[in-house]
Coordinates of all heavy atoms in Angstrom, one line a residue:
M225 N 8.6 2.0 65.8 CA 8.3 2.0 67.2 C 9.5 1.3 67.9 O 9.8 0.2 67.6 CB 7.0 1.2 67.4 CG 6.7 1.1 68.9 SD 5.1 0.4 69.2 CE 5.4 -1.3 68.8
Q226 N 10.1 2.0 68.8 CA 11.2 1.5 69.6 C 10.8 1.5 71.1 O 10.6 2.5 71.7 CB 12.4 2.4 69.4 CG 12.9 2.3 67.9 CD 14.1 3.2 67.8 OE1 15.0 3.2 68.6 NE2 14.2 3.9 66.6
I227 N 10.7 0.3 71.6 CA 10.3 0.1 73.0 C 11.1 0.8 74.0 O 10.6 1.5 74.9 CB 10.2 -1.5 73.4 CG1 9.3 -2.2 72.4 CG2 9.9 -1.7 74.8 CD1 7.9 -1.7 72.4
P228 N 12.5 0.8 73.9 CA 13.3 1.6 74.9 C 12.9 3.1 74.9 O 13.0 3.7 76.0 CB 14.7 1.4 74.4 CG 14.7 0.1 73.6 CD 13.3 0.1 73.0
I229 N 12.6 3.6 73.8 CA 12.2 5.1 73.7 C 10.9 5.3 74.4 O 10.7 6.2 75.2 CB 12.2 5.6 72.3 CG1 13.6 5.6 71.7 CG2 11.6 7.0 72.2 CD1 13.7 5.9 70.2
I230 N 10.0 4.4 74.2 CA 8.6 4.5 74.8 C 8.8 4.4 76.3 O 8.3 5.2 77.1 CB 7.7 3.4 74.3 CG1 7.4 3.6 72.8 CG2 6.4 3.4 75.1 CD1 6.7 2.5 72.1
K231 N 9.6 3.4 76.8 CA 9.8 3.3 78.3 C 10.4 4.5 78.8 O 10.1 5.0 79.9 CB 10.8 2.1 78.5 CG 10.2 0.8 78.5 CD 11.2 -0.3 78.9 CE 10.6 -1.7 78.8 NZ 11.6 -2.7 79.2
K232 N 11.4 5.1 78.1 CA 12.1 6.3 78.6 C 11.1 7.5 78.7 O 11.0 8.1 79.8 CB 13.2 6.7 77.6 CG 13.9 8.0 78.0 CD 15.0 8.3 77.0 CE 15.6 9.7 77.3 NZ 16.5 10.1 76.2
I233 N 10.3 7.7 77.7 CA 9.4 8.9 77.8 C 8.2 8.6 78.8 O 7.7 9.6 79.4 CB 8.9 9.4 76.4 CG1 8.1 8.3 75.7 CG2 10.1 9.8 75.6 CD1 7.6 8.8 74.3
V234 N 7.8 7.3 79.0 CA 6.8 7.0 80.0 C 7.3 7.5 81.4 O 6.6 8.0 82.2 CB 6.4 5.5 80.0 CG1 5.7 5.1 81.2 CG2 5.6 5.2 78.8
S235 N 8.6 7.2 81.6 CA 9.2 7.5 82.9 C 9.5 9.0 83.1 O 9.5 9.5 84.2 CB 10.4 6.7 83.2 OG 11.5 7.1 82.4
E236 N 9.7 9.7 82.0 CA 10.1 11.1 82.1 C 9.0 12.2 82.0 O 9.2 13.3 82.5 CB 11.1 11.4 81.0 CG 12.4 10.7 81.2 CD 13.5 11.1 80.2 OE1 13.2 11.8 79.2 OE2 14.6 10.5 80.3
Y237 N 7.9 11.8 81.4 CA 6.9 12.9 81.1 C 5.5 12.4 81.6 O 5.1 11.3 81.6 CB 6.8 13.2 79.6 CG 8.2 13.6 79.0 CD1 8.8 12.8 78.1 CD2 8.7 14.8 79.5 CE1 10.1 13.3 77.6 CE2 10.0 15.2 79.0 CZ 10.6 14.4 78.1 OH 11.9 14.8 77.6
S238 N 4.7 13.4 81.9 CA 3.3 13.2 82.3 C 2.4 13.0 81.0 O 2.8 13.4 79.9 CB 2.8 14.4 83.1 OG 2.6 15.5 82.3
V239 N 1.2 12.5 81.3 CA 0.2 12.4 80.2 C 0.0 13.7 79.6 O -0.1 13.9 78.3 CB -1.1 11.7 80.6 CG1 -2.1 11.7 79.6 CG2 -0.8 10.2 81.0
E240 N -0.2 14.7 80.4 CA -0.4 16.1 79.9 C 0.7 16.6 79.0 O 0.4 17.2 78.0 CB -0.6 17.1 81.1 CG -1.9 16.8 81.9 CD -1.7 15.6 82.9 OE1 -0.6 15.2 83.2 OE2 -2.8 15.0 83.2
Q241 N 1.9 16.4 79.4 CA 3.1 16.8 78.6 C 3.1 16.1 77.2 O 3.3 16.6 76.2 CB 4.4 16.5 79.3 CG 4.7 17.4 80.4 CD 5.9 17.0 81.2 OE1 6.0 15.9 81.7 NE2 6.9 17.9 81.3
L242 N 2.7 14.8 77.3 CA 2.7 14.0 76.1 C 1.6 14.4 75.1 O 1.8 14.5 73.9 CB 2.6 12.5 76.4 CG 3.8 11.9 77.1 CD1 3.5 10.5 77.7 CD2 5.0 11.9 76.2
K243 N 0.4 14.7 75.7 CA -0.7 15.2 74.9 C -0.4 16.5 74.3 O -0.8 16.8 73.1 CB -2.0 15.2 75.7 CG -2.5 13.8 76.0 CD -3.8 13.8 76.7 CE -4.3 12.4 76.9 NZ -5.7 12.3 77.5
Q244 N 0.3 17.4 75.0 CA 0.7 18.7 74.4 C 1.7 18.4 73.3 O 1.6 19.1 72.3 CB 1.3 19.6 75.5 CG 1.7 20.9 75.0 CD 0.5 21.7 74.5 OE1 -0.4 21.9 75.2 NE2 0.6 22.2 73.2
A245 N 2.6 17.5 73.5 CA 3.6 17.2 72.4 C 2.9 16.7 71.2 O 3.2 17.0 70.0 CB 4.6 16.2 72.9
E246 N 1.9 15.8 71.4 CA 1.1 15.3 70.3 C 0.4 16.5 69.5 O 0.5 16.6 68.3 CB 0.0 14.4 70.8 CG -1.0 13.9 69.7 CD -2.1 13.1 70.2 OE1 -2.3 13.0 71.5 OE2 -2.9 12.6 69.4
E247 N -0.2 17.4 70.3 CA -0.8 18.5 69.6 C 0.2 19.4 68.9 O -0.1 19.9 67.8 CB -1.5 19.4 70.7 CG -2.4 20.5 70.2 CD -3.1 21.2 71.3 OE1 -3.7 20.5 72.2 OE2 -3.1 22.5 71.3
D248 N 1.3 19.6 69.5 CA 2.4 20.4 68.9 C 2.8 19.8 67.6 O 3.0 20.5 66.5 CB 3.5 20.7 69.8 CG 3.2 21.6 71.0 OD1 2.2 22.3 70.9 OD2 4.0 21.6 72.0
L249 N 3.0 18.5 67.6 CA 3.4 17.8 66.3 C 2.4 18.0 65.2 O 2.7 18.2 64.1 CB 3.6 16.3 66.6 CG 5.0 15.8 66.8 CD1 5.1 14.3 67.0 CD2 6.0 16.2 65.8
M250 N 1.1 17.8 65.6 CA 0.0 17.9 64.6 C -0.1 19.3 64.0 O -0.5 19.5 62.9 CB -1.3 17.5 65.3 CG -1.3 16.1 65.8 SD -0.9 14.8 64.5 CE -2.4 14.9 63.6
E251 N 0.3 20.3 64.9 CA 0.2 21.7 64.4 C 1.6 22.2 63.9 O 1.8 23.4 63.6 CB -0.2 22.6 65.5 CG -1.7 22.3 66.0 CD -2.1 23.1 67.1 OE1 -1.4 24.1 67.6 OE2 -3.2 22.9 67.6
E252 N 2.5 21.2 63.7 CA 3.9 21.5 63.2 C 4.6 22.6 64.0 O 5.3 23.4 63.5 CB 3.8 21.9 61.7 CG 3.2 20.8 60.9 CD 3.2 21.1 59.4 OE1 3.6 22.2 59.0 OE2 2.7 20.3 58.6
K253 N 4.4 22.5 65.3 CA 5.1 23.4 66.2 C 6.3 22.7 66.8 O 6.3 21.4 66.9 CB 4.2 23.9 67.4 CG 3.0 24.7 67.0 CD 2.2 25.1 68.2 CE 1.0 25.9 67.8 NZ 0.2 26.2 69.0
P254 N 7.3 23.4 67.3 CA 8.4 22.7 68.0 C 8.0 22.0 69.3 O 7.1 22.6 69.9 CB 9.5 23.8 68.2 CG 8.9 25.1 67.7 CD 7.5 24.8 67.2
L255 N 8.6 20.9 69.6 CA 8.2 20.2 70.8 C 8.9 20.9 72.0 O 10.1 21.2 72.0 CB 8.6 18.8 70.7 CG 7.9 17.9 69.6 CD1 8.4 16.5 69.7 CD2 6.4 18.0 69.7
A256 N 8.2 20.9 73.1 CA 8.7 21.5 74.4 C 9.5 20.4 75.1 O 10.2 20.7 76.0 CB 7.6 22.0 75.2
I257 N 9.2 19.1 74.8 CA 9.9 18.0 75.4 C 10.7 17.3 74.3 O 10.4 17.4 73.1 CB 9.0 17.1 76.1 CG1 7.9 16.5 75.2 CG2 8.3 17.8 77.3 CD1 7.0 15.4 75.8
E258 N 11.7 16.5 74.8 CA 12.5 15.7 73.8 C 11.9 14.3 73.6 O 11.8 13.5 74.5 CB 13.9 15.6 74.3 CG 14.8 14.9 73.3 CD 16.3 14.8 73.8 OE1 16.7 15.6 74.6 OE2 16.9 13.8 73.3
I259 N 11.6 14.1 72.3 CA 11.0 12.8 71.9 C 11.9 12.3 70.7 O 12.0 12.9 69.7 CB 9.6 12.9 71.4 CG1 8.7 13.5 72.4 CG2 9.1 11.5 71.0 CD1 8.5 12.7 73.7
E260 N 12.6 11.2 71.0 CA 13.4 10.6 69.9 C 12.6 10.0 68.8 O 11.5 9.5 69.1 CB 14.3 9.5 70.5 CG 15.3 10.0 71.5 CD 16.2 8.9 72.2 OE1 16.8 8.2 71.4 OE2 16.2 8.9 73.4
G261 N 13.2 10.0 67.6 CA 12.5 9.4 66.5 C 13.2 9.8 65.2 O 13.7 11.0 65.2
E262 N 13.2 9.0 64.2 CA 13.8 9.4 63.0 C 13.1 10.5 62.2 O 13.7 11.2 61.4 CB 14.0 8.1 62.1 CG 15.0 7.1 62.6 CD 15.3 6.0 61.6 OE1 15.1 6.3 60.4 OE2 15.7 5.0 62.0
D263 N 11.8 10.6 62.4 CA 11.0 11.6 61.8 C 9.8 11.9 62.6 O 9.6 11.3 63.7 CB 10.6 11.2 60.4 CG 9.8 9.9 60.3 OD1 9.1 9.5 61.3 OD2 9.9 9.2 59.3
E264 N 8.9 12.8 62.2 CA 7.8 13.2 63.0 C 6.8 12.0 63.2 O 6.1 11.9 64.2 CB 7.1 14.4 62.4 CG 7.9 15.7 62.5 CD 7.2 16.9 61.9 OE1 6.2 16.7 61.1 OE2 7.7 18.0 62.1
G265 N 6.7 11.2 62.2 CA 5.8 10.0 62.3 C 6.2 9.1 63.4 O 5.4 8.6 64.1
E266 N 7.5 8.8 63.5 CA 8.0 7.9 64.5 C 7.9 8.6 65.9 O 7.5 8.0 66.9 CB 9.5 7.5 64.3 CG 9.9 6.5 65.3 CD 11.3 5.9 64.9 OE1 12.2 6.7 64.6 OE2 11.5 4.7 65.0
Q267 N 8.1 9.9 65.9 CA 7.9 10.6 67.2 C 6.5 10.5 67.7 O 6.2 10.3 68.8 CB 8.3 12.1 67.0 CG 9.8 12.4 66.9 CD 10.1 13.8 66.7 OE1 9.4 14.5 65.9 NE2 11.0 14.4 67.4
L268 N 5.6 10.7 66.7 CA 4.1 10.6 67.1 C 3.8 9.2 67.5 O 3.0 9.1 68.5 CB 3.3 11.0 65.8 CG 1.8 11.0 66.1 CD1 1.4 12.0 67.2 CD2 1.1 11.4 64.8
T269 N 4.3 8.2 66.9 CA 4.1 6.8 67.3 C 4.6 6.6 68.8 O 3.8 6.0 69.6 CB 4.8 5.8 66.4 OG1 4.3 6.0 65.1 CG2 4.7 4.4 66.9
H270 N 5.7 7.1 69.1 CA 6.3 7.0 70.5 C 5.4 7.8 71.5 O 5.1 7.3 72.5 CB 7.7 7.5 70.5 CG 8.7 6.7 69.8 ND1 9.8 7.2 69.2 CD2 8.6 5.4 69.5 CE1 10.4 6.2 68.6 NE2 9.8 5.1 68.8
I271 N 4.9 9.0 71.1 CA 4.1 9.7 72.0 C 2.8 9.0 72.2 O 2.3 8.9 73.4 CB 3.8 11.2 71.4 CG1 5.1 12.0 71.4 CG2 2.7 11.9 72.1 CD1 5.0 13.2 70.6
L272 N 2.1 8.6 71.2 CA 0.8 7.9 71.3 C 0.9 6.6 72.1 O 0.1 6.3 73.0 CB 0.2 7.6 70.0 CG -0.2 8.9 69.2 CD1 -0.7 8.5 67.7 CD2 -1.3 9.7 69.9
A273 N 2.0 5.9 71.9 CA 2.3 4.6 72.7 C 2.5 4.9 74.1 O 1.9 4.3 75.0 CB 3.5 3.9 72.1
A274 N 3.2 6.0 74.4 CA 3.5 6.3 75.8 C 2.3 6.8 76.5 O 2.0 6.4 77.7 CB 4.6 7.4 75.9
I275 N 1.4 7.5 75.8 CA 0.1 7.9 76.4 C -0.7 6.7 76.7 O -1.2 6.6 77.9 CB -0.7 8.9 75.5 CG1 0.1 10.2 75.4 CG2 -2.1 9.1 76.0 CD1 -0.5 11.2 74.3
W276 N -0.8 5.8 75.8 CA -1.6 4.6 76.0 C -1.0 3.8 77.2 O -1.8 3.3 78.0 CB -1.6 3.7 74.7 CG -2.6 2.6 74.8 CD1 -3.9 2.7 74.2 CD2 -2.5 1.3 75.3 NE1 -4.5 1.5 74.5 CE2 -3.7 0.6 75.1 CE3 -1.4 0.7 76.0 CZ2 -3.9 -0.7 75.6 CZ3 -1.6 -0.6 76.5 CH2 -2.8 -1.3 76.3
V277 N 0.3 3.6 77.2 CA 0.9 2.9 78.3 C 0.7 3.5 79.7 O 0.3 2.8 80.6 CB 2.4 2.7 78.0 CG1 3.2 2.2 79.3 CG2 2.7 1.8 76.8
K278 N 0.8 4.8 79.8 CA 0.6 5.5 81.0 C -0.9 5.3 81.5 O -1.1 5.1 82.7 CB 1.0 7.0 80.9 CG 2.5 7.2 80.9 CD 2.9 8.6 80.9 CE 2.9 9.2 82.2 NZ 4.0 8.8 83.1
E279 N -1.8 5.5 80.5 CA -3.2 5.3 80.9 C -3.5 3.9 81.3 O -4.3 3.6 82.2 CB -4.1 5.8 79.7 CG -4.0 7.3 79.6 CD -4.8 7.9 78.4 OE1 -5.2 7.1 77.5 OE2 -5.0 9.1 78.4
E280 N -2.9 2.9 80.6 CA -3.1 1.5 80.9 C -2.5 1.2 82.4 O -3.2 0.5 83.1 CB -2.4 0.6 79.9 CG -2.4 -0.9 80.2 CD -3.7 -1.5 79.7 OE1 -4.7 -0.8 79.3 OE2 -3.8 -2.8 79.8
M281 N -1.4 1.8 82.7 CA -0.8 1.6 84.0 C -1.8 2.1 85.1 O -2.0 1.4 86.1 CB 0.5 2.3 84.1 CG 1.6 1.7 83.3 SD 3.1 2.7 83.2 CE 3.6 2.8 84.9
E282 N -2.3 3.3 84.8 CA -3.3 3.9 85.8 C -4.6 3.1 85.9 O -5.0 2.7 87.0 CB -3.6 5.3 85.3 CG -4.6 6.0 86.1 CD -4.1 6.7 87.4 OE1 -2.9 6.8 87.5 OE2 -4.9 7.0 88.3
K283 N -5.1 2.7 84.8 CA -6.4 2.0 84.7 C -6.3 0.6 85.3 O -7.2 0.2 86.1 CB -6.9 2.0 83.3 CG -8.3 1.3 83.1 CD -8.8 1.4 81.7 CE -8.0 0.4 80.9 NZ -8.5 0.3 79.5
E284 N -5.3 -0.1 84.9 CA -5.2 -1.6 85.2 C -4.3 -1.8 86.4 O -4.2 -2.9 86.9 CB -4.7 -2.4 84.0 CG -5.5 -2.3 82.8 CD -6.9 -2.9 83.0 OE1 -7.0 -3.9 83.8 OE2 -7.9 -2.4 82.4
G285 N -3.6 -0.8 86.9 CA -2.7 -1.0 88.0 C -1.5 -1.9 87.8 O -1.1 -2.6 88.6
V286 N -1.0 -1.8 86.5 CA 0.1 -2.7 86.2 C 1.4 -1.8 86.0 O 1.3 -0.6 85.9 CB -0.2 -3.4 84.8 CG1 -1.3 -4.4 85.0 CG2 -0.4 -2.5 83.7
N287 N 2.5 -2.5 86.0 CA 3.8 -1.8 85.9 C 4.1 -1.5 84.4 O 3.3 -2.0 83.5 CB 5.0 -2.6 86.5 CG 5.2 -3.9 85.8 OD1 4.9 -4.1 84.6 ND2 5.8 -4.9 86.5
V288 N 5.1 -0.7 84.2 CA 5.4 -0.3 82.8 C 5.6 -1.5 81.9 O 5.2 -1.5 80.7 CB 6.5 0.7 82.8 CG1 7.8 0.1 83.2 CG2 6.7 1.4 81.4
G289 N 6.3 -2.5 82.3 CA 6.6 -3.7 81.5 C 5.4 -4.4 81.0 O 5.2 -4.7 79.8
K290 N 4.5 -4.6 81.9 CA 3.2 -5.2 81.6 C 2.4 -4.4 80.7 O 1.8 -4.9 79.7 CB 2.4 -5.6 82.9 CG 1.0 -6.2 82.6 CD 1.1 -7.6 82.0 CE -0.3 -8.2 82.0 NZ -0.4 -9.2 81.0
A291 N 2.3 -3.1 80.9 CA 1.6 -2.2 80.1 C 2.1 -2.1 78.7 O 1.3 -2.1 77.7 CB 1.5 -0.8 80.7
I292 N 3.4 -2.1 78.5 CA 4.0 -2.2 77.2 C 3.7 -3.5 76.5 O 3.4 -3.5 75.3 CB 5.6 -1.9 77.3 CG1 5.7 -0.4 77.6 CG2 6.3 -2.2 76.0 CD1 7.1 0.1 77.8
R293 N 3.8 -4.6 77.2 CA 3.4 -5.9 76.6 C 2.0 -5.8 76.1 O 1.7 -6.3 75.0 CB 3.6 -7.0 77.6 CG 5.1 -7.5 77.7 CD 5.2 -8.8 78.4 NE 4.9 -8.6 79.9 CZ 5.7 -8.1 80.8 NH1 6.9 -7.6 80.5 NH2 5.3 -8.0 82.0
N294 N 1.1 -5.3 76.9 CA -0.3 -5.1 76.5 C -0.4 -4.3 75.2 O -1.2 -4.6 74.3 CB -1.2 -4.5 77.6 CG -1.3 -5.5 78.8 OD1 -1.0 -6.6 78.8 ND2 -1.8 -4.9 79.9
Y295 N 0.4 -3.2 75.1 CA 0.3 -2.4 74.0 C 0.8 -3.1 72.7 O 0.2 -3.0 71.7 CB 1.2 -1.1 74.2 CG 1.2 -0.2 73.0 CD1 0.0 0.6 72.8 CD2 2.2 -0.1 72.2 CE1 0.0 1.4 71.7 CE2 2.2 0.7 71.1 CZ 1.1 1.5 70.8 OH 1.1 2.3 69.7
T296 N 1.9 -3.9 72.9 CA 2.5 -4.6 71.7 C 1.5 -5.6 71.2 O 1.4 -5.9 70.0 CB 3.9 -5.2 72.0 OG1 3.8 -6.1 73.1 CG2 4.9 -4.1 72.2
V297 N 0.8 -6.3 72.2 CA -0.2 -7.3 71.8 C -1.3 -6.6 71.0 O -1.8 -7.1 69.9 CB -0.8 -8.0 73.0 CG1 -2.1 -8.8 72.7 CG2 0.3 -8.9 73.6
K298 N -1.7 -5.4 71.5 CA -2.8 -4.7 70.8 C -2.3 -4.3 69.4 O -3.1 -4.4 68.4 CB -3.1 -3.4 71.6 CG -4.0 -2.4 71.0 CD -4.1 -1.2 72.0 CE -4.8 0.0 71.6 NZ -5.1 0.4 70.3
V299 N -1.1 -3.8 69.2 CA -0.6 -3.5 67.9 C -0.5 -4.7 67.0 O -1.0 -4.6 65.8 CB 0.8 -2.8 68.0 CG1 1.5 -2.6 66.7 CG2 0.7 -1.4 68.7
R300 N 0.0 -5.8 67.5 CA 0.1 -7.0 66.7 C -1.3 -7.5 66.2 O -1.4 -7.9 65.1 CB 0.8 -8.1 67.5 CG 2.3 -8.0 67.4 CD 3.0 -9.3 68.0 NE 3.9 -8.9 69.0 CZ 3.9 -9.2 70.2 NH1 3.0 -10.0 70.7 NH2 4.7 -8.7 71.1
N301 N -2.2 -7.4 67.1 CA -3.6 -7.9 66.7 C -4.2 -6.9 65.7 O -5.0 -7.4 64.8 CB -4.5 -7.9 68.0 CG -4.1 -9.1 68.9 OD1 -3.5 -10.1 68.4 ND2 -4.5 -9.0 70.1
S302 N -3.9 -5.7 65.7 CA -4.5 -4.7 64.7 C -3.8 -4.9 63.4 O -4.5 -4.6 62.3 CB -4.3 -3.3 65.2 OG -2.9 -2.9 65.1
I303 N -2.6 -5.4 63.3 CA -1.9 -5.7 62.1 C -2.4 -6.9 61.4 O -2.5 -7.0 60.2 CB -0.4 -5.7 62.3 CG1 0.1 -4.3 62.7 CG2 0.4 -6.1 61.0 CD1 1.5 -4.2 63.2
S304 N -2.6 -8.0 62.2 CA -3.0 -9.3 61.6 C -4.4 -9.4 61.4 O -5.3 -8.7 61.6 CB -2.5 -10.4 62.5 OG -2.9 -10.3 63.8

C-alpha cells in the first residue's frame, strides 16, 4: 500500500470508476483507468483504499489527509 498512489487516485477518479476498476480486476479484465501497483493485488489494495477514503470524506466531511489517516489507523488496528 502506497499512500501517494492512494491520494492520486482519490483525486483523479470517482467512486463509480473505482468500483468498476475493482470489478474489472476481479473478473481479470483490463482496467479502464490507470492504477499503479506492482501487481494486481497491490492495485486492488489501492482501489479499495481509495474507495474507503472517498466514502469517509463524504460521510465524515473530512479532507483527504484526515480520511487517509483514518484508513491507516483502521488497517493498523486490524493487523494488531
Side-chain angles (χ1 to χ4, degrees):
M225 177 175 73
Q226 297 181 39
I227 302 301
I229 293 173
I230 296 168
K231 281 184 180 180
K232 178 181 174 187
I233 62 177
V234 162
S235 69
E236 291 182 356
Y237 303 114
S238 68
V239 171
E240 293 76 23
Q241 288 174 301
L242 293 168
K243 287 184 177 183
Q244 183 61 55
E246 175 189 5
E247 187 176 315
D248 290 346
L249 264 181
M250 300 304 286
E251 294 178 7
E252 299 181 3
K253 294 180 181 176
L255 299 180
I257 60 175
E258 184 179 334
I259 304 293
E260 294 177 54
E262 289 190 24
D263 56 29
E264 290 178 350
E266 189 173 42
Q267 287 176 316
L268 183 59
T269 298
H270 292 150
I271 291 167
L272 294 174
I275 291 169
W276 193 95
V277 166
K278 288 184 84 68
E279 290 175 345
E280 179 80 352
M281 290 169 65
E282 175 83 16
K283 182 176 77 174
E284 299 297 326
V286 296
N287 65 26
V288 67
K290 175 68 174 161
I292 287 176
R293 280 190 294 282
N294 292 349
Y295 181 76
T296 59
V297 167
K298 175 183 170 341
V299 169
R300 277 190 234 120
N301 289 339
S302 73
I303 294 171
S304 54

